[in-house]
Amino acid sequence: TVEDIRIARPEDYDGDGNTDEPLKDEIDALRGLLLDTIYAYADGLGNPIVYDPEAYPYWFKDDNQNGAHDEGEESYGGNPDQGQENHWDGPLMKAVFNYQLAATEPGAWAHNTDYIAQLLYDSIEDLGGTLTGLERPTP
């Protein structure tokens, strides 16, 4: 199946030591690392957030810091009319955009693996996340 594609790529983008896993798994793992980095970065700003792929606009205040979108936790849209402040800076905004792109574009890992891996890697780097063991693709 297309999900099993690896096609002679020796790179270990996600740093797990497995250079035989499907490319989809490499990108999914990088996406998970970015999500953890986004959470840590937002916490460091004093504004914990949580991602909910089932509820637009996907990013919410995580008031109780339990890592889940609970009832009553508002959208983090920065709408002053709703009493919300926008505490997103440039690196965080870029990272959540890149995360969402990788999460919602179903064939991104197959059509342009290096590009998606670069976006995820660069976002982790921009947020000051750990890059140990990760490999940034260079076309």
Side-chain angles (χ1 to χ4, degrees), residues 9 11-14 23 26-31 34 94-95 97-99 101-102 108-109 111-127 131 134-139:
R9 290 186 190 239
E11 298 86 6
D12 179 24
Y13 303 124
D14 63 5
L23 294 174
E26 291 278 353
I27 297 304
D28 286 348
L30 274 177
R31 212 166 29 89
L34 176 56
K94 287 186 288 186
F97 178 88
N98 289 339
Y99 180 87
L101 174 64
W109 62 268
H111 296 292
N112 204 336
T113 308
D114 288 345
Y115 177 72
I116 291 298
Q118 284 178 357
L119 288 179
L120 298 171
Y121 180 101
D122 291 349
S123 293
I124 292 168
E125 182 177 43
D126 285 349
L127 296 180
L131 299 172
L134 303 183
E135 188 169 337
R136 184 182 190 274
T138 52

mmCIF file of all heavy atoms in Angstrom, residues 9 11-14 23 26-31 34 94-95 97-99 101-102 108-109 111-127 131 134-139:
data_model
loop_
_atom_site.group_PDB
_atom_site.id
_atom_site.type_symbol
_atom_site.label_atom_id
_atom_site.label_comp_id
_atom_site.label_asym_id
_atom_site.label_seq_id
_atom_site.Cartn_x
_atom_site.Cartn_y
_atom_site.Cartn_z
ATOM 1 N N ARG A 9 15.393 5.258 1.328
ATOM 2 C CA ARG A 9 15.773 6.483 2.039
ATOM 3 C C ARG A 9 16.490 6.073 3.317
ATOM 4 O O ARG A 9 15.871 5.523 4.225
ATOM 5 C CB ARG A 9 14.552 7.324 2.381
ATOM 6 C CG ARG A 9 13.914 7.953 1.181
ATOM 7 C CD ARG A 9 12.815 8.881 1.641
ATOM 8 N NE ARG A 9 12.037 9.327 0.531
ATOM 9 C CZ ARG A 9 11.892 10.599 0.201
ATOM 10 N NH1 ARG A 9 12.475 11.523 0.907
ATOM 11 N NH2 ARG A 9 11.150 10.933 -0.823
ATOM 12 N N GLU A 11 17.654 8.052 5.575
ATOM 13 C CA GLU A 11 17.494 9.047 6.634
ATOM 14 C C GLU A 11 16.586 8.552 7.751
ATOM 15 O O GLU A 11 15.610 7.858 7.516
ATOM 16 C CB GLU A 11 16.917 10.357 6.070
ATOM 17 C CG GLU A 11 17.774 11.037 5.044
ATOM 18 C CD GLU A 11 17.532 10.528 3.638
ATOM 19 O OE1 GLU A 11 16.611 9.714 3.429
ATOM 20 O OE2 GLU A 11 18.270 10.933 2.738
ATOM 21 N N ASP A 12 16.925 8.956 8.953
ATOM 22 C CA ASP A 12 16.092 8.684 10.123
ATOM 23 C C ASP A 12 15.634 10.037 10.655
ATOM 24 O O ASP A 12 16.187 10.571 11.602
ATOM 25 C CB ASP A 12 16.901 7.920 11.183
ATOM 26 C CG ASP A 12 16.085 7.627 12.426
ATOM 27 O OD1 ASP A 12 14.847 7.579 12.337
ATOM 28 O OD2 ASP A 12 16.701 7.457 13.495
ATOM 29 N N TYR A 13 14.634 10.615 10.006
ATOM 30 C CA TYR A 13 14.181 11.962 10.340
ATOM 31 C C TYR A 13 13.781 12.093 11.802
ATOM 32 O O TYR A 13 14.056 13.085 12.446
ATOM 33 C CB TYR A 13 12.978 12.369 9.471
ATOM 34 C CG TYR A 13 13.233 12.318 7.991
ATOM 35 C CD1 TYR A 13 12.422 11.548 7.159
ATOM 36 C CD2 TYR A 13 14.264 13.035 7.409
ATOM 37 C CE1 TYR A 13 12.631 11.502 5.789
ATOM 38 C CE2 TYR A 13 14.485 12.995 6.039
ATOM 39 C CZ TYR A 13 13.669 12.226 5.236
ATOM 40 O OH TYR A 13 13.878 12.177 3.887
ATOM 41 N N ASP A 14 13.092 11.094 12.328
ATOM 42 C CA ASP A 14 12.516 11.208 13.674
ATOM 43 C C ASP A 14 13.433 10.739 14.792
ATOM 44 O O ASP A 14 13.079 10.801 15.960
ATOM 45 C CB ASP A 14 11.177 10.477 13.755
ATOM 46 C CG ASP A 14 11.277 8.983 13.513
ATOM 47 O OD1 ASP A 14 12.403 8.455 13.372
ATOM 48 O OD2 ASP A 14 10.224 8.337 13.466
ATOM 49 N N LEU A 23 7.623 5.933 5.491
ATOM 50 C CA LEU A 23 7.786 7.385 5.581
ATOM 51 C C LEU A 23 6.643 8.035 6.351
ATOM 52 O O LEU A 23 6.840 9.022 7.058
ATOM 53 C CB LEU A 23 7.895 7.989 4.180
ATOM 54 C CG LEU A 23 9.145 7.598 3.409
ATOM 55 C CD1 LEU A 23 9.080 8.136 1.986
ATOM 56 C CD2 LEU A 23 10.395 8.075 4.119
ATOM 57 N N GLU A 26 7.580 8.018 9.877
ATOM 58 C CA GLU A 26 8.612 9.026 10.160
ATOM 59 C C GLU A 26 7.961 10.396 10.380
ATOM 60 O O GLU A 26 8.263 11.092 11.340
ATOM 61 C CB GLU A 26 9.615 9.130 8.999
ATOM 62 C CG GLU A 26 10.510 7.953 8.812
ATOM 63 C CD GLU A 26 11.734 7.929 9.718
ATOM 64 O OE1 GLU A 26 11.999 8.915 10.440
ATOM 65 O OE2 GLU A 26 12.434 6.912 9.705
ATOM 66 N N ILE A 27 7.060 10.770 9.483
ATOM 67 C CA ILE A 27 6.421 12.086 9.570
ATOM 68 C C ILE A 27 5.475 12.146 10.768
ATOM 69 O O ILE A 27 5.423 13.156 11.480
ATOM 70 C CB ILE A 27 5.683 12.423 8.250
ATOM 71 C CG1 ILE A 27 6.683 12.501 7.092
ATOM 72 C CG2 ILE A 27 4.887 13.714 8.384
ATOM 73 C CD1 ILE A 27 7.834 13.476 7.269
ATOM 74 N N ASP A 28 4.731 11.076 11.016
ATOM 75 C CA ASP A 28 3.847 11.056 12.194
ATOM 76 C C ASP A 28 4.636 11.247 13.486
ATOM 77 O O ASP A 28 4.200 11.960 14.385
ATOM 78 C CB ASP A 28 3.058 9.752 12.254
ATOM 79 C CG ASP A 28 1.930 9.674 11.238
ATOM 80 O OD1 ASP A 28 1.595 10.718 10.634
ATOM 81 O OD2 ASP A 28 1.398 8.565 11.045
ATOM 82 N N ALA A 29 5.807 10.630 13.561
ATOM 83 C CA ALA A 29 6.633 10.774 14.765
ATOM 84 C C ALA A 29 7.161 12.201 14.899
ATOM 85 O O ALA A 29 7.148 12.775 15.998
ATOM 86 C CB ALA A 29 7.780 9.774 14.743
ATOM 87 N N LEU A 30 7.601 12.791 13.787
ATOM 88 C CA LEU A 30 8.049 14.190 13.829
ATOM 89 C C LEU A 30 6.910 15.111 14.243
ATOM 90 O O LEU A 30 7.102 16.059 15.005
ATOM 91 C CB LEU A 30 8.576 14.627 12.455
ATOM 92 C CG LEU A 30 10.019 14.344 12.125
ATOM 93 C CD1 LEU A 30 10.340 14.775 10.699
ATOM 94 C CD2 LEU A 30 10.957 15.025 13.108
ATOM 95 N N ARG A 31 5.720 14.825 13.736
ATOM 96 C CA ARG A 31 4.545 15.627 14.095
ATOM 97 C C ARG A 31 4.282 15.534 15.595
ATOM 98 O O ARG A 31 3.987 16.528 16.251
ATOM 99 C CB ARG A 31 3.328 15.153 13.294
ATOM 100 C CG ARG A 31 2.362 16.241 12.981
ATOM 101 C CD ARG A 31 1.332 15.870 11.928
ATOM 102 N NE ARG A 31 0.958 14.488 11.821
ATOM 103 C CZ ARG A 31 -0.022 13.906 12.511
ATOM 104 N NH1 ARG A 31 -0.717 14.590 13.376
ATOM 105 N NH2 ARG A 31 -0.297 12.637 12.324
ATOM 106 N N LEU A 34 6.782 17.643 17.394
ATOM 107 C CA LEU A 34 6.436 19.055 17.283
ATOM 108 C C LEU A 34 5.292 19.408 18.220
ATOM 109 O O LEU A 34 5.329 20.448 18.883
ATOM 110 C CB LEU A 34 6.097 19.443 15.839
ATOM 111 C CG LEU A 34 5.635 20.896 15.658
ATOM 112 C CD1 LEU A 34 6.657 21.894 16.200
ATOM 113 C CD2 LEU A 34 5.321 21.175 14.197
ATOM 114 N N LYS A 94 3.870 30.069 13.476
ATOM 115 C CA LYS A 94 4.416 29.266 12.373
ATOM 116 C C LYS A 94 4.342 27.775 12.698
ATOM 117 O O LYS A 94 3.997 26.962 11.838
ATOM 118 C CB LYS A 94 5.860 29.663 12.086
ATOM 119 C CG LYS A 94 5.988 31.010 11.405
ATOM 120 C CD LYS A 94 7.420 31.309 10.998
ATOM 121 C CE LYS A 94 8.271 31.614 12.202
ATOM 122 N NZ LYS A 94 9.641 32.058 11.873
ATOM 123 N N ALA A 95 4.674 27.439 13.931
ATOM 124 C CA ALA A 95 4.695 26.026 14.320
ATOM 125 C C ALA A 95 3.307 25.400 14.271
ATOM 126 O O ALA A 95 3.146 24.281 13.770
ATOM 127 C CB ALA A 95 5.296 25.875 15.717
ATOM 128 N N PHE A 97 0.787 26.378 12.476
ATOM 129 C CA PHE A 97 0.387 26.291 11.072
ATOM 130 C C PHE A 97 1.026 25.073 10.422
ATOM 131 O O PHE A 97 0.359 24.288 9.748
ATOM 132 C CB PHE A 97 0.779 27.565 10.306
ATOM 133 C CG PHE A 97 0.420 27.482 8.854
ATOM 134 C CD1 PHE A 97 -0.826 27.878 8.412
ATOM 135 C CD2 PHE A 97 1.315 26.982 7.913
ATOM 136 C CE1 PHE A 97 -1.183 27.784 7.069
ATOM 137 C CE2 PHE A 97 0.980 26.877 6.570
ATOM 138 C CZ PHE A 97 -0.273 27.284 6.154
ATOM 139 N N ASN A 98 2.331 24.902 10.631
ATOM 140 C CA ASN A 98 3.026 23.760 10.032
ATOM 141 C C ASN A 98 2.515 22.443 10.583
ATOM 142 O O ASN A 98 2.393 21.458 9.850
ATOM 143 C CB ASN A 98 4.535 23.897 10.235
ATOM 144 C CG ASN A 98 5.120 25.004 9.396
ATOM 145 O OD1 ASN A 98 4.541 25.427 8.408
ATOM 146 N ND2 ASN A 98 6.280 25.485 9.791
ATOM 147 N N TYR A 99 2.196 22.415 11.866
ATOM 148 C CA TYR A 99 1.632 21.202 12.456
ATOM 149 C C TYR A 99 0.302 20.870 11.784
ATOM 150 O O TYR A 99 0.057 19.732 11.384
ATOM 151 C CB TYR A 99 1.431 21.359 13.970
ATOM 152 C CG TYR A 99 0.851 20.110 14.567
ATOM 153 C CD1 TYR A 99 1.682 19.084 14.986
ATOM 154 C CD2 TYR A 99 -0.522 19.912 14.658
ATOM 155 C CE1 TYR A 99 1.169 17.900 15.495
ATOM 156 C CE2 TYR A 99 -1.043 18.744 15.161
ATOM 157 C CZ TYR A 99 -0.197 17.741 15.572
ATOM 158 O OH TYR A 99 -0.716 16.576 16.055
ATOM 159 N N LEU A 101 -0.840 21.809 8.879
ATOM 160 C CA LEU A 101 -0.632 21.409 7.491
ATOM 161 C C LEU A 101 -0.241 19.933 7.416
ATOM 162 O O LEU A 101 -0.821 19.172 6.644
ATOM 163 C CB LEU A 101 0.463 22.267 6.850
ATOM 164 C CG LEU A 101 0.874 21.865 5.438
ATOM 165 C CD1 LEU A 101 -0.275 22.043 4.456
ATOM 166 C CD2 LEU A 101 2.088 22.660 5.002
ATOM 167 N N ALA A 102 0.702 19.527 8.244
ATOM 168 C CA ALA A 102 1.143 18.132 8.230
ATOM 169 C C ALA A 102 0.057 17.183 8.710
ATOM 170 O O ALA A 102 -0.018 16.041 8.267
ATOM 171 C CB ALA A 102 2.401 17.972 9.091
ATOM 172 N N ALA A 108 0.775 14.432 2.231
ATOM 173 C CA ALA A 108 1.981 15.267 2.273
ATOM 174 C C ALA A 108 3.240 14.432 2.465
ATOM 175 O O ALA A 108 4.253 14.671 1.824
ATOM 176 C CB ALA A 108 1.866 16.302 3.385
ATOM 177 N N TRP A 109 3.157 13.440 3.310
ATOM 178 C CA TRP A 109 4.326 12.589 3.569
ATOM 179 C C TRP A 109 4.727 11.809 2.325
ATOM 180 O O TRP A 109 5.890 11.489 2.130
ATOM 181 C CB TRP A 109 4.046 11.639 4.733
ATOM 182 C CG TRP A 109 2.920 10.710 4.434
ATOM 183 C CD1 TRP A 109 1.604 10.905 4.730
ATOM 184 C CD2 TRP A 109 2.999 9.475 3.735
ATOM 185 N NE1 TRP A 109 0.856 9.868 4.254
ATOM 186 C CE2 TRP A 109 1.697 8.958 3.636
ATOM 187 C CE3 TRP A 109 4.045 8.744 3.183
ATOM 188 C CZ2 TRP A 109 1.407 7.754 3.011
ATOM 189 C CZ3 TRP A 109 3.752 7.542 2.560
ATOM 190 C CH2 TRP A 109 2.436 7.065 2.474
ATOM 191 N N HIS A 111 3.853 12.738 -1.048
ATOM 192 C CA HIS A 111 4.118 13.586 -2.207
ATOM 193 C C HIS A 111 5.405 14.387 -2.066
ATOM 194 O O HIS A 111 6.075 14.650 -3.054
ATOM 195 C CB HIS A 111 2.954 14.541 -2.463
ATOM 196 C CG HIS A 111 1.701 13.844 -2.828
ATOM 197 N ND1 HIS A 111 1.549 13.162 -4.005
ATOM 198 C CD2 HIS A 111 0.543 13.688 -2.160
ATOM 199 C CE1 HIS A 111 0.348 12.622 -4.055
ATOM 200 N NE2 HIS A 111 -0.281 12.921 -2.941
ATOM 201 N N ASN A 112 5.714 14.824 -0.858
ATOM 202 C CA ASN A 112 6.919 15.619 -0.661
ATOM 203 C C ASN A 112 7.412 15.434 0.767
ATOM 204 O O ASN A 112 7.366 16.354 1.583
ATOM 205 C CB ASN A 112 6.661 17.081 -0.977
ATOM 206 C CG ASN A 112 7.934 17.796 -1.348
ATOM 207 O OD1 ASN A 112 9.026 17.371 -0.971
ATOM 208 N ND2 ASN A 112 7.811 18.885 -2.074
ATOM 209 N N THR A 113 7.910 14.273 1.044
ATOM 210 C CA THR A 113 8.361 13.904 2.380
ATOM 211 C C THR A 113 9.396 14.888 2.912
ATOM 212 O O THR A 113 9.300 15.329 4.064
ATOM 213 C CB THR A 113 8.977 12.489 2.368
ATOM 214 O OG1 THR A 113 8.051 11.592 1.767
ATOM 215 C CG2 THR A 113 9.311 12.027 3.763
ATOM 216 N N ASP A 114 10.379 15.222 2.094
ATOM 217 C CA ASP A 114 11.445 16.104 2.571
ATOM 218 C C ASP A 114 10.905 17.472 2.977
ATOM 219 O O ASP A 114 11.324 18.037 3.982
ATOM 220 C CB ASP A 114 12.526 16.271 1.502
ATOM 221 C CG ASP A 114 13.363 15.020 1.322
ATOM 222 O OD1 ASP A 114 13.309 14.123 2.194
ATOM 223 O OD2 ASP A 114 14.081 14.938 0.311
ATOM 224 N N TYR A 115 9.986 18.014 2.196
ATOM 225 C CA TYR A 115 9.430 19.337 2.503
ATOM 226 C C TYR A 115 8.675 19.313 3.837
ATOM 227 O O TYR A 115 8.898 20.169 4.695
ATOM 228 C CB TYR A 115 8.498 19.793 1.376
ATOM 229 C CG TYR A 115 7.832 21.110 1.647
ATOM 230 C CD1 TYR A 115 8.568 22.294 1.610
ATOM 231 C CD2 TYR A 115 6.480 21.186 1.953
ATOM 232 C CE1 TYR A 115 7.968 23.508 1.862
ATOM 233 C CE2 TYR A 115 5.872 22.401 2.205
ATOM 234 C CZ TYR A 115 6.619 23.565 2.157
ATOM 235 O OH TYR A 115 6.021 24.768 2.420
ATOM 236 N N ILE A 116 7.812 18.349 4.030
ATOM 237 C CA ILE A 116 7.043 18.261 5.274
ATOM 238 C C ILE A 116 7.975 18.008 6.450
ATOM 239 O O ILE A 116 7.831 18.615 7.518
ATOM 240 C CB ILE A 116 5.954 17.172 5.165
ATOM 241 C CG1 ILE A 116 4.873 17.610 4.177
ATOM 242 C CG2 ILE A 116 5.346 16.848 6.519
ATOM 243 C CD1 ILE A 116 4.122 18.881 4.556
ATOM 244 N N ALA A 117 8.963 17.131 6.273
ATOM 245 C CA ALA A 117 9.922 16.865 7.351
ATOM 246 C C ALA A 117 10.702 18.127 7.699
ATOM 247 O O ALA A 117 10.958 18.400 8.879
ATOM 248 C CB ALA A 117 10.864 15.738 6.959
ATOM 249 N N GLN A 118 11.066 18.917 6.693
ATOM 250 C CA GLN A 118 11.776 20.174 6.958
ATOM 251 C C GLN A 118 10.906 21.145 7.737
ATOM 252 O O GLN A 118 11.381 21.802 8.676
ATOM 253 C CB GLN A 118 12.218 20.828 5.650
ATOM 254 C CG GLN A 118 13.411 20.186 5.019
ATOM 255 C CD GLN A 118 13.780 20.841 3.697
ATOM 256 O OE1 GLN A 118 13.105 21.749 3.212
ATOM 257 N NE2 GLN A 118 14.861 20.374 3.104
ATOM 258 N N LEU A 119 9.638 21.270 7.360
ATOM 259 C CA LEU A 119 8.737 22.177 8.082
ATOM 260 C C LEU A 119 8.634 21.785 9.558
ATOM 261 O O LEU A 119 8.693 22.639 10.448
ATOM 262 C CB LEU A 119 7.336 22.165 7.463
ATOM 263 C CG LEU A 119 7.154 22.835 6.118
ATOM 264 C CD1 LEU A 119 5.705 22.684 5.659
ATOM 265 C CD2 LEU A 119 7.544 24.298 6.163
ATOM 266 N N LEU A 120 8.479 20.490 9.804
ATOM 267 C CA LEU A 120 8.339 20.013 11.180
ATOM 268 C C LEU A 120 9.642 20.203 11.954
ATOM 269 O O LEU A 120 9.639 20.709 13.086
ATOM 270 C CB LEU A 120 7.892 18.558 11.186
ATOM 271 C CG LEU A 120 6.516 18.303 10.546
ATOM 272 C CD1 LEU A 120 6.268 16.810 10.401
ATOM 273 C CD2 LEU A 120 5.402 18.972 11.327
ATOM 274 N N TYR A 121 10.757 19.822 11.350
ATOM 275 C CA TYR A 121 12.066 19.974 11.980
ATOM 276 C C TYR A 121 12.338 21.447 12.300
ATOM 277 O O TYR A 121 12.726 21.800 13.414
ATOM 278 C CB TYR A 121 13.147 19.417 11.060
ATOM 279 C CG TYR A 121 14.549 19.516 11.615
ATOM 280 C CD1 TYR A 121 15.167 18.415 12.191
ATOM 281 C CD2 TYR A 121 15.272 20.710 11.546
ATOM 282 C CE1 TYR A 121 16.457 18.492 12.697
ATOM 283 C CE2 TYR A 121 16.560 20.797 12.057
ATOM 284 C CZ TYR A 121 17.146 19.689 12.634
ATOM 285 O OH TYR A 121 18.428 19.780 13.136
ATOM 286 N N ASP A 122 12.137 22.313 11.306
ATOM 287 C CA ASP A 122 12.412 23.738 11.492
ATOM 288 C C ASP A 122 11.515 24.352 12.563
ATOM 289 O O ASP A 122 11.947 25.231 13.306
ATOM 290 C CB ASP A 122 12.263 24.493 10.179
ATOM 291 C CG ASP A 122 13.353 24.151 9.168
ATOM 292 O OD1 ASP A 122 14.350 23.486 9.542
ATOM 293 O OD2 ASP A 122 13.206 24.552 7.995
ATOM 294 N N SER A 123 10.287 23.887 12.664
ATOM 295 C CA SER A 123 9.381 24.396 13.696
ATOM 296 C C SER A 123 9.844 23.974 15.083
ATOM 297 O O SER A 123 9.791 24.766 16.029
ATOM 298 C CB SER A 123 7.950 23.912 13.448
ATOM 299 O OG SER A 123 7.439 24.493 12.267
ATOM 300 N N ILE A 124 10.299 22.738 15.213
ATOM 301 C CA ILE A 124 10.844 22.278 16.496
ATOM 302 C C ILE A 124 12.045 23.144 16.866
ATOM 303 O O ILE A 124 12.170 23.615 18.002
ATOM 304 C CB ILE A 124 11.227 20.787 16.428
ATOM 305 C CG1 ILE A 124 9.969 19.919 16.283
ATOM 306 C CG2 ILE A 124 12.023 20.372 17.671
ATOM 307 C CD1 ILE A 124 10.246 18.465 15.923
ATOM 308 N N GLU A 125 12.901 23.390 15.883
ATOM 309 C CA GLU A 125 14.087 24.213 16.125
ATOM 310 C C GLU A 125 13.704 25.638 16.518
ATOM 311 O O GLU A 125 14.254 26.200 17.474
ATOM 312 C CB GLU A 125 14.964 24.224 14.877
ATOM 313 C CG GLU A 125 16.251 25.009 15.044
ATOM 314 C CD GLU A 125 17.137 24.930 13.812
ATOM 315 O OE1 GLU A 125 16.613 25.038 12.685
ATOM 316 O OE2 GLU A 125 18.354 24.765 14.003
ATOM 317 N N ASP A 126 12.762 26.255 15.790
ATOM 318 C CA ASP A 126 12.333 27.627 16.077
ATOM 319 C C ASP A 126 11.793 27.785 17.496
ATOM 320 O O ASP A 126 11.934 28.844 18.099
ATOM 321 C CB ASP A 126 11.255 28.086 15.086
ATOM 322 C CG ASP A 126 11.814 28.424 13.715
ATOM 323 O OD1 ASP A 126 13.052 28.504 13.555
ATOM 324 O OD2 ASP A 126 10.997 28.602 12.792
ATOM 325 N N LEU A 127 11.165 26.732 18.000
ATOM 326 C CA LEU A 127 10.586 26.793 19.345
ATOM 327 C C LEU A 127 11.601 26.401 20.423
ATOM 328 O O LEU A 127 11.259 26.363 21.607
ATOM 329 C CB LEU A 127 9.356 25.888 19.437
ATOM 330 C CG LEU A 127 8.175 26.271 18.551
ATOM 331 C CD1 LEU A 127 7.025 25.292 18.750
ATOM 332 C CD2 LEU A 127 7.710 27.698 18.805
ATOM 333 N N LEU A 131 16.576 18.714 19.252
ATOM 334 C CA LEU A 131 16.829 18.188 17.914
ATOM 335 C C LEU A 131 17.750 16.969 17.951
ATOM 336 O O LEU A 131 18.051 16.390 16.900
ATOM 337 C CB LEU A 131 17.457 19.268 17.034
ATOM 338 C CG LEU A 131 16.608 20.516 16.816
ATOM 339 C CD1 LEU A 131 17.419 21.579 16.089
ATOM 340 C CD2 LEU A 131 15.333 20.194 16.062
ATOM 341 N N LEU A 134 17.469 13.886 15.594
ATOM 342 C CA LEU A 134 16.634 14.175 14.413
ATOM 343 C C LEU A 134 17.527 14.503 13.230
ATOM 344 O O LEU A 134 18.646 14.970 13.386
ATOM 345 C CB LEU A 134 15.696 15.351 14.693
ATOM 346 C CG LEU A 134 14.766 15.227 15.885
ATOM 347 C CD1 LEU A 134 13.855 16.452 15.951
ATOM 348 C CD2 LEU A 134 13.948 13.956 15.818
ATOM 349 N N GLU A 135 17.001 14.275 12.039
ATOM 350 C CA GLU A 135 17.737 14.590 10.824
ATOM 351 C C GLU A 135 16.886 15.493 9.966
ATOM 352 O O GLU A 135 15.737 15.172 9.645
ATOM 353 C CB GLU A 135 18.089 13.309 10.073
ATOM 354 C CG GLU A 135 19.009 13.552 8.915
ATOM 355 C CD GLU A 135 19.573 12.264 8.329
ATOM 356 O OE1 GLU A 135 19.616 11.247 9.043
ATOM 357 O OE2 GLU A 135 19.962 12.299 7.156
ATOM 358 N N ARG A 136 17.459 16.639 9.575
ATOM 359 C CA ARG A 136 16.753 17.567 8.698
ATOM 360 C C ARG A 136 17.060 17.200 7.249
ATOM 361 O O ARG A 136 18.220 17.154 6.860
ATOM 362 C CB ARG A 136 17.190 19.005 8.942
ATOM 363 C CG ARG A 136 16.413 20.006 8.113
ATOM 364 C CD ARG A 136 16.934 21.436 8.370
ATOM 365 N NE ARG A 136 16.054 22.412 7.781
ATOM 366 C CZ ARG A 136 16.132 22.824 6.515
ATOM 367 N NH1 ARG A 136 17.045 22.313 5.700
ATOM 368 N NH2 ARG A 136 15.302 23.731 6.061
ATOM 369 N N PRO A 137 16.037 16.920 6.469
ATOM 370 C CA PRO A 137 16.274 16.583 5.062
ATOM 371 C C PRO A 137 16.890 17.762 4.314
ATOM 372 O O PRO A 137 16.557 18.914 4.588
ATOM 373 C CB PRO A 137 14.876 16.301 4.506
ATOM 374 C CG PRO A 137 14.002 16.175 5.677
ATOM 375 C CD PRO A 137 14.635 16.908 6.809
ATOM 376 N N THR A 138 17.757 17.451 3.405
ATOM 377 C CA THR A 138 18.329 18.467 2.530
ATOM 378 C C THR A 138 18.186 17.992 1.103
ATOM 379 O O THR A 138 18.838 17.034 0.691
ATOM 380 C CB THR A 138 19.818 18.716 2.856
ATOM 381 O OG1 THR A 138 20.499 17.476 2.862
ATOM 382 C CG2 THR A 138 19.990 19.386 4.198
ATOM 383 N N PRO A 139 17.274 18.633 0.370
ATOM 384 C CA PRO A 139 17.036 18.191 -1.009
ATOM 385 C C PRO A 139 18.222 18.464 -1.907
ATOM 386 O O PRO A 139 19.050 19.229 -1.646
ATOM 387 C CB PRO A 139 15.812 18.979 -1.433
ATOM 388 C CG PRO A 139 15.599 20.051 -0.453
ATOM 389 C CD PRO A 139 16.438 19.727 0.746
#
